[in-house]
Amino acid sequence: MAREKTRPAQQVVQKSSDDHAAPNPVWFKPVMFGFMLVGLAWIIVFYVSQGTLPIPDLQSWNILIGFGIAFVGFLMTTRWR
């Protein structure tokens, strides 16, 4: 009895619609990096001014605002193509 060797069926890989997505618009990268830099600058200004700038009434909430602005930029990196 001869055993027949069978080859596994070739799997057809279909590309999802995300593989053919269009590249980002021209403004996307500058805005993304802009958010990251503005958030960093916000935090640096807060520390250098010893809490008197950018918005003195917010006190330590300025740090959270700076991180929030920078975080928006980092979230945009997930959509960068």
Side-chain angles (χ1 to χ4, degrees), residues 10-28:
Q10 291 181 347
Q11 296 177 350
V12 177
V13 178
Q14 295 181 354
K15 294 184 178 183
S16 66
S17 61
D18 291 338
D19 292 340
H20 297 294
N24 295 108
V26 175
W27 56 265
F28 190 85

Side-chain angles (χ1 to χ4, degrees), residues 6-79:
T6 59
R7 294 183 184 179
Q10 291 181 347
Q11 296 177 350
V12 177
V13 178
Q14 295 181 354
K15 294 184 178 183
S16 66
S17 61
D18 291 338
D19 292 340
H20 297 294
N24 295 108
V26 175
W27 56 265
F28 190 85
K29 209 177 350 176
V31 169
M32 177 182 70
F33 287 120
F35 273 122
M36 286 188 252
L37 291 175
V38 167
L40 178 64
W42 191 290
I43 295 168
I44 289 172
V45 166
F46 175 73
Y47 278 115
V48 169
S49 70
Q50 297 178 357
T52 60
L53 293 174
I55 303 175
D57 293 338
L58 293 179
Q59 299 168 355
S60 295
W61 284 99
N62 280 301
I63 297 171
L64 184 64
I65 292 170
F67 277 118
I69 294 169
F71 187 67
V72 169
F74 285 114
L75 283 178
M76 288 179 74
T77 62
T78 63
R79 297 290 180 181

